[in-house]
Amino acid sequence: MSERTPEHRYTAELAGQIEARWQDRWESEDTFASANPAGPWAAPDDPRLKKGHTIVMDMFPYPSGAGMHVGHPLGYLATDVYSRFLRTTGQNVLYTMGFDAFGLPAEHYAVQTGQHPRVTTEAAMATYRRQMRMIGLSHEQRRGFATIDPDYYRWTQWIFTQIFESWYDESAPARRGSGTGRARPIRDLVTQFEGGERSTPDGRAWAELTARERSDILDQHRLAYVSAAPVNWCPGLGTVLSNEEVTVDGKSERGDFPVFKRNLSQWKMRITAYADRLVDDLDRLDWPEKVRLMQRNWIGRSFGSDVTFGSIPTVDGGTTGLEIFTTRPDTIFGATFMVVAPEHPVLAQIVPPAWPEGTHPAWTGGAADPRTAVSTYQREASSKSDLERERHDAKHKTGVFTGAWATNPVTGTALPVFVADYVLMGYGTGAIMAVPGQDQRDWDFAKAYELPIIRTVQPTPEHPQDEAFTGEGPAINSVTDGLSLDGMGVAEAKEATIAWLEEQGVGTRQVTYRLRDWLFSRQRYWGEPFPIVWDADGIAHSVPDAMLPVKLPEVPDYSPRTFDPQDAQSSPEAPLARAGEWVEVDLDLGEGLGVQRYRRETNTMPNWAGSCWYHLRYLDPANTEAPVDPAVESYWIGPRPAPVASAPPGATDPGGVDLYVGGVEHAVLHLLYARFWHKVLFDLGYVSSEEPFRRLINQGMIEAYVYRDQRGFPVPAAEIEEHPSTDGGASTYTWKGEPVTQEYGKMGKSLKNVVTPDEMCEQYGADTFRVYEMSMGPLEQYRPWETRAVVGSQRFLQRLWRNVIDEETGEVAVVDDAMAEATDKALHKTIEGVRADFAALRTNTAIAKMIELNNHLTKLDVVPRAAVEPLVQMVAPVAPHLAEELWSRLGHADSLAYEPFPVADPAKLVEDTVTAIVQVKGKVRDRLEVPADIDAASLEALALASPKVVAIIDGAPVRKVIVRAPGLVNVVV
């Protein structure tokens, strides 16, 4: 016979009823609404405004049609627990969620089906909202939005116009603190030109220039501008791709089409103007060090020297120089050849029609002449991504001799100039002096092409003779007239070399950056339209604020024009270009010209645009006059009185979101772009904070078992049969009768191992799902998913339920008797530990402490109300529906969402006894329970009287007893 289930047991079915009821109540009462000091939602009399405030954010999700799997809510649950806890401490908590809804997935679906991307996206958002409500996330619903909402992207476009109408003045005093450099309105630059304070490039007066000439000059300064530059052109997709959308094999991430480097005119943002601030301000943020390092490496600030290698004959009979940047000018004595990037413009000047006499056959690439060799190599290099070109692979170092020679300005030696794809045009000057003795890539190239190798730094004795030496050591082989570096350390040698180069006029001290200006346009439909129109002279004008938002038109075809995947010479044609009535418009821009005919910009912004500033709109989403009211921004994310703990001495707090949680995959681009936009808005006076995100935590990833068939293809994990071993060994697995292998991997559709929150809530209830996911380990760690282990979390909640509710009658079973001393101490110890754990986002250890206390209560004959009510309050952030239900049944009419968190009595945290360790001959021989305030003499006497210690000593003389009361006694015999 099966065991009868009591009528009032906490089951998945009962949990579902409780959860739906409380979710409805929270929504109807707007339980989680926070208070603003100003703006459309001003509530200046709300007492929470005087009790401290915290804004907690998750990274914007992009809603996929399939909805969430159990890995997606990991960070969301952690921030929800934290937000719920903070509310019980009196904090005014802003916690909400929106959607990053422009992007490729919906557009590709539209191309395939003809369904408008908005329809697909809104359906996906509805699924996400349902799931987030189902698992009890305490988002403030009224603050949520999507980037596709016109009321939102109106302000995205407005911010773009502010950036477009701005320039970076390196000499202007910083808005806050010492130093110089900030964004200023472009009209200030025009005033400088008009007044003669700043000269035009050719010296003519500003009034003498044509409108187009003025525009061209201003574009050289604007923070948003159009420029022809090398981009990743994918003919098969018909669009330009960002670097992150190109695989290491030079193919498009989506579709696997060839990608070529092309010089095309594209919108860019002058993020490079902020490179130093973006690097330096990282020290003022409470971010994981690995993320800060990734941003520093991406920006790539390097200190060194520009050096000109001269006397290169040109095809027109003259000579030119080749400028390089090096962080190690001290190694210039070891330069044995030069390398330029395939895109370098100098190649058009220096490649001769024939090979110089005596050219090494290995240098020619098998070509009959240098021009054929170089042009062929350029075509081959154009099909490789930057990642592929940078990848260190000694076996595949390629390049060809250009036929030109450059002169080393220090040694006077003639050096062959090669073109090779491991040098990128986007870093430094696009040319390098190759020093194989001190650089492994140069070493590999030198070996492949039989070029000389000269060491200029003495290797350590154990260093392999067949490798470049990149460490520290004294300079060697570095002497010429007027400059001797031999014996110097690297730092001293660098300074001496730079001084000599500057004195000779062939080099200058320089700082360079790996960071390039941000490519900011896409040939796609589903993105924010640019608020830009072009006049008949090809001059760009920003659309006046009153004409925003510029909305997307309806188009018959959502796909950009595609080309033969190998047609590298094709050019982009965006879908918006086909909307003729939308593109060609008659407007009065308010510039005194009346109504004129203009052409709209037909590219759209990248999907990064909407996520650059959404943290600001969360603060004031109903504001129709500004992106955010200044007083609201200052209240929520303005600078704090004290900097973060890790900030350097003398640093000030930059402000920003109190806690930002998201995946490390966004460690560079999203965070870098958001920081750039925020700093521009700060410079222009629109915000008081200098940084968008003050504190960052990267949550780990939930992994799940992946099962692969004999071909190595994933098969559905839900259809796997396990076959336990009969001899205690490992289980084996089959799918449809065929053996499969088992491994851990990322959860996802492609690996066919998805488990959804819907399944978990149906089988166990949302609170059980929340407790399990939060108890799996520290937030930052990766953790394996095991559905069978969820039952442990369910048992915890069932025991808690039984400690309050009689399963047979459904009545409250607690008593109003006083707690026993042991229970009282256990309660206060738990309160102290759980409070500290919640505050530090250690939810997994908080759950462990609550389970321990709950188990203690389970063993009692009757459960005191005074013990269980604080436990219910502590459980509430993790299992909010169950906690609300128990709180209500215990006789409380109000929600416990704001009920003050229990406070531990310090007097009840004092331990009456402690465990003293007794060691003899360095090994633990006994453990004694002793009074916490025992004195050293008494502890020594107890230790020496211990039967175990007496047996070990066995009459041997005691030489010394070391006592550390009350916890340790060490007996030396």
Side-chain angles (χ1 to χ4, degrees):
M1 293 180 60
S2 60
E3 181 181 348
R4 183 184 70 84
T5 301
E7 182 180 354
H8 298 281
R9 172 160 294 178
Y10 181 73
T11 61
E13 181 181 6
L14 178 58
Q17 297 169 6
I18 292 171
E19 288 157 6
R21 183 164 61 250
W22 281 100
Q23 289 161 12
D24 289 343
R25 177 172 169 178
W26 293 333
E27 185 173 329
S28 65
E29 296 180 358
D30 204 9
T31 300
F32 307 113
S34 55
N36 270 5
W41 292 345
D45 297 328
D46 193 307
R48 291 176 297 173
L49 293 173
K50 300 178 181 179
K51 294 182 179 179
H53 56 273
T54 304
I55 174 172
V56 181
M57 275 181 58
D58 293 286
M59 287 189 182
F60 240 3
Y62 183 88
S64 69
M68 293 191 288
H69 59 62
V70 295
H72 290 122
L74 177 62
Y76 307 160
L77 288 173
T79 53
D80 182 67
V81 170
Y82 186 59
S83 298
R84 287 178 179 274
F85 165 71
L86 289 176
R87 293 188 191 103
T88 66
T89 66
Q91 289 281 300
N92 185 23
V93 179
L94 195 163
Y95 178 57
T96 191
M97 180 70 83
F99 294 98
D100 190 9
F102 280 121
L104 274 178
E107 182 169 295
H108 280 292
Y109 189 75
V111 170
Q112 296 166 10
T113 65
Q115 184 180 72
H116 196 287
R118 179 175 287 278
V119 175
T120 308
T121 304
E122 288 181 343
M125 289 191 293
T127 299
Y128 262 65
R129 289 192 184 100
R130 176 188 61 77
Q131 290 180 311
M132 289 191 290
R133 185 182 192 272
M134 176 184 66
I135 61 176
L137 300 183
S138 60
H139 294 141
E140 184 177 354
Q141 298 299 327
R142 64 175 183 165
R143 292 185 185 268
F145 52 78
T147 55
I148 61 175
D149 297 341
D151 287 344
Y152 180 79
Y153 71 73
R154 165 197 177 184
W155 294 110
T156 305
Q157 293 172 340
W158 181 87
I159 294 173
F160 177 86
T161 66
Q162 307 312 303
I163 298 173
F164 174 73
E165 298 292 354
S166 300
W167 64 296
Y168 196 80
D169 186 351
E170 295 181 352
S171 62
R175 183 182 165 201
R176 182 181 296 147
S178 59
T180 58
R182 74 170 190 270
R184 296 176 60 187
I186 200 74
R187 61 178 177 272
D188 293 352
L189 180 62
V190 173
T191 300
Q192 291 182 11
F193 280 123
E194 288 176 337
E197 180 183 346
R198 182 182 292 265
S199 299
T200 62
D202 62 5
R204 284 186 293 161
W206 187 252
E208 297 176 9
L209 303 180
T210 66
R212 182 56 191 262
E213 288 173 329
R214 294 176 187 175
S215 174
D216 289 344
I217 292 172
L218 294 179
D219 285 349
Q220 295 173 22
H221 297 270
R222 291 185 189 272
L223 288 177
Y225 63 99
V226 172
S227 173
V231 296
N232 301 310
W233 167 234
C234 181
L237 290 178
T239 188
V240 169
L241 302 177
S242 60
N243 286 337
E244 65 274 8
E245 295 169 320
V246 182
T247 69
V248 295
D249 299 320
K251 301 290 185 66
S252 62
E253 187 178 47
R254 184 174 294 272
D256 202 36
F257 291 109
V259 177
F260 303 93
K261 284 291 185 183
R262 283 284 311 280
N263 275 326
L264 296 174
S265 292
Q266 300 287 311
W267 279 99
K268 291 186 174 183
M269 288 208 171
R270 210 177 300 275
I271 191 173
T272 50
Y274 284 79
D276 284 322
R277 286 167 63 180
L278 290 169
V279 171
D280 295 339
D281 286 349
L282 287 169
D283 291 334
R284 302 164 67 193
L285 302 174
D286 183 6
W287 283 17
E289 183 53 36
K290 65 178 180 181
V291 175
R292 292 194 286 192
L293 180 61
M294 290 168 72
Q295 290 222 351
R296 290 190 184 100
N297 290 341
W298 189 268
I299 297 168
R301 182 169 64 185
S302 301
F303 298 91
S305 175
D306 282 340
V307 186
T308 301
F309 287 70
S311 303
I312 306 174
T314 59
V315 294
D316 60 6
T319 60
T320 188
L322 185 60
E323 185 176 295
I324 63 101
F325 170 81
T326 176
T327 59
R328 293 292 304 276
D330 56 302
T331 66
I332 194 169
F333 289 91
T336 58
F337 59 101
M338 309 291 292
V339 182
V340 298
E343 304 85 4
H344 202 296
V346 78
L347 291 171
Q349 304 177 49
I350 66 172
V351 181
W355 292 116
E357 184 176 352
T359 296
H360 195 303
W363 297 2
T364 66
D369 59 80
R371 292 178 181 173
T372 300
V374 171
S375 61
T376 300
Y377 189 81
Q378 287 175 313
R379 284 195 300 272
E380 294 172 351
S382 71
S383 65
K384 296 181 181 180
S385 70
D386 287 354
L387 287 174
E388 184 181 10
R389 288 169 57 173
E390 287 185 283
R391 186 171 54 188
H392 178 66
D393 188 346
K395 297 180 180 179
H396 295 92
K397 279 287 173 288
T398 64
V400 292
F401 178 41
T402 64
W405 296 77
T407 302
N408 187 321
V410 176
T411 65
T413 306
L415 307 179
V417 180
F418 283 77
V419 56
D421 60 15
Y422 76 91
V423 175
L424 302 178
M425 195 63 216
Y427 180 67
T429 65
I432 66 166
M433 64 173 192
V435 184
Q438 267 60 64
D439 185 287
Q440 190 61 44
R441 294 192 308 171
D442 295 343
W443 178 287
D444 296 333
F445 193 91
K447 286 293 186 181
Y449 290 89
E450 301 180 23
L451 290 157
I453 296 175
I454 301 173
R455 294 193 188 274
T456 57
V457 176
Q458 180 65 55
T460 55
E462 69 277 6
H463 183 74
Q465 292 299 308
D466 58 349
E467 293 180 6
F469 178 68
T470 58
E472 294 275 335
I476 57 174
N477 302 322
S478 302
V479 178
T480 191
D481 291 343
L483 179 64
S484 177
L485 306 180
D486 283 3
M488 293 183 181
V490 171
E492 183 184 4
K494 285 175 65 173
E495 285 300 314
T497 305
I498 293 173
W500 188 91
L501 292 169
E502 290 185 324
E503 181 182 329
Q504 301 298 314
V506 291
T508 56
R509 188 182 306 273
Q510 196 61 262
V511 181
T512 192
Y513 306 85
R514 185 182 187 84
L515 181 67
R516 300 294 94 187
D517 279 347
W518 176 12
L519 177 64
F520 196 73
S521 52
R522 300 290 186 271
Q523 294 71 48
R524 295 174 183 147
Y525 172 74
W526 195 230
E528 295 95 337
F530 280 90
I532 294 291
V533 293
W534 300 85
D535 66 21
D537 295 323
I539 299 173
H541 301 261
S542 59
V543 173
D545 295 354
M547 295 183 185
L548 300 178
V550 178
K551 296 184 179 180
L552 281 170
E554 297 295 327
V555 296
D557 183 1
Y558 302 113
S559 59
R561 181 186 175 190
T562 58
F563 301 86
D564 183 305
Q566 299 295 336
D567 186 3
Q569 299 308 310
S570 54
S571 297
E573 180 183 300
L576 291 181
R578 305 186 193 113
E581 293 183 1
W582 180 85
V583 174
E584 301 292 336
V585 289
D586 295 322
L587 300 173
D588 182 353
L589 299 182
E591 298 174 347
L593 301 176
V595 175
Q596 300 284 318
R597 172 56 63 98
Y598 297 95
R599 177 177 56 85
R600 293 193 190 276
E601 172 60 61
T602 58
N603 287 315
T604 54
M605 300 187 201
N607 63 314
W608 305 106
S611 61
C612 275
W613 74 282
Y614 71 114
H615 59 288
L616 294 174
R617 195 59 176 173
Y618 278 162
L619 310 181
D620 205 11
N623 199 321
T624 59
E625 304 300 320
V628 59
D629 186 289
V632 173
E633 183 274 337
S634 178
Y635 169 79
W636 282 112
I637 63 171
R640 300 301 174 96
V644 300
S646 60
T652 57
D653 188 75
V657 170
D658 296 290
L659 177 64
Y660 194 37
V661 175
V664 73
E665 66 270 18
H666 297 298
V668 175
L669 298 177
H670 157 60
L671 293 174
L672 197 65
Y673 296 157
R675 296 180 65 214
F676 166 55
W677 274 40
H678 199 97
K679 287 181 180 298
V680 175
L681 292 174
F682 170 77
D683 285 354
L684 298 177
Y686 294 116
V687 296
S688 65
S689 46
E690 298 175 65
E691 287 280 342
F693 312 117
R694 186 174 188 265
R695 182 187 182 194
L696 172 71
I697 291 179
N698 295 129
Q699 88 270 10
M701 182 182 295
I702 288 183
E703 298 179 309
Y705 282 122
V706 180
Y707 298 91
R708 297 183 184 274
D709 61 19
Q710 293 178 331
R711 301 169 300 168
F713 292 164
V715 298
E719 301 173 12
I720 296 299
E721 293 185 17
E722 181 178 0
H723 307 281
S725 172
T726 56
D727 58 3
S731 296
T732 58
Y733 304 89
T734 60
W735 178 65
K736 294 183 177 180
E738 297 296 324
V740 295
T741 60
Q742 182 194 61
E743 63 189 51
Y744 269 122
K746 180 180 179 180
M747 186 175 288
K749 289 187 295 184
S750 63
L751 295 178
K752 300 182 179 180
N753 61 349
V754 165
V755 179
T756 69
D758 306 66
E759 298 171 60
M760 291 298 98
C761 291
E762 181 180 357
Q763 295 175 36
Y764 299 98
D767 282 337
T768 293
F769 167 63
R770 290 169 61 103
V771 170
Y772 173 66
E773 192 141 308
M774 288 293 92
S775 64
M776 294 170 71
L779 176 59
E780 296 88 344
Q781 287 186 2
Y782 280 47
R783 72 283 309 276
W785 178 268
E786 179 53 74
T787 298
R788 289 176 298 184
V790 179
V791 70
S793 297
Q794 185 182 46
R795 290 189 184 120
F796 161 51
L797 298 184
Q798 287 176 329
R799 291 190 187 106
L800 176 60
W801 176 266
R802 285 197 297 270
N803 279 334
V804 180
I805 305 297
D806 186 305
E807 288 187 333
E808 296 294 342
T809 67
E811 299 297 321
V812 174
V814 301
V815 297
D816 291 324
D817 298 351
M819 289 182 286
E821 183 178 3
T823 300
D824 200 12
K825 284 185 172 293
L827 171 64
H828 286 269
K829 179 182 177 182
T830 303
I831 291 172
E832 182 76 2
V834 170
R835 175 185 279 269
D837 286 343
F838 277 154
L841 284 99
R842 297 190 299 262
T843 309
N844 60 313
T845 55
I847 292 171
K849 292 178 174 68
M850 291 186 286
I851 290 174
E852 184 178 355
L853 176 61
N854 191 56
N855 290 342
H856 173 89
L857 298 181
T858 301
K859 297 172 185 177
L860 303 179
D861 294 334
V862 291
V863 178
R865 175 186 293 271
V868 82
E869 284 197 350
L871 176 57
V872 169
Q873 289 181 263
M874 288 186 280
V875 167
V878 183
H881 312 89
L882 174 63
E884 289 272 29
E885 183 71 12
L886 293 177
W887 189 250
S888 175
R889 295 195 184 201
L890 285 164
H892 303 278
D894 295 332
S895 164
L896 57 64
Y898 293 94
E899 192 70 22
F901 200 84
V903 177
D905 183 347
K908 296 176 181 177
L909 300 176
V910 177
E911 295 284 354
D912 292 333
T913 63
V914 297
T915 301
I917 302 299
V918 182
Q919 293 181 331
V920 181
K921 300 180 181 180
K923 294 184 179 181
V924 176
R925 304 298 184 178
D926 202 359
R927 289 177 171 85
L928 306 175
E929 289 298 316
V930 299
D933 58 353
I934 191 171
D935 60 73
S938 299
L939 180 58
E940 178 179 341
L942 285 174
L944 293 176
S946 161
K948 294 181 181 178
V949 172
V950 170
I952 289 295
I953 293 177
D954 194 23
V958 175
R959 295 172 51 201
K960 188 175 184 182
V961 180
I962 302 170
V963 181
R964 299 286 184 267
L968 176 68
V969 179
N970 189 8
V971 181
V972 181
V973 295

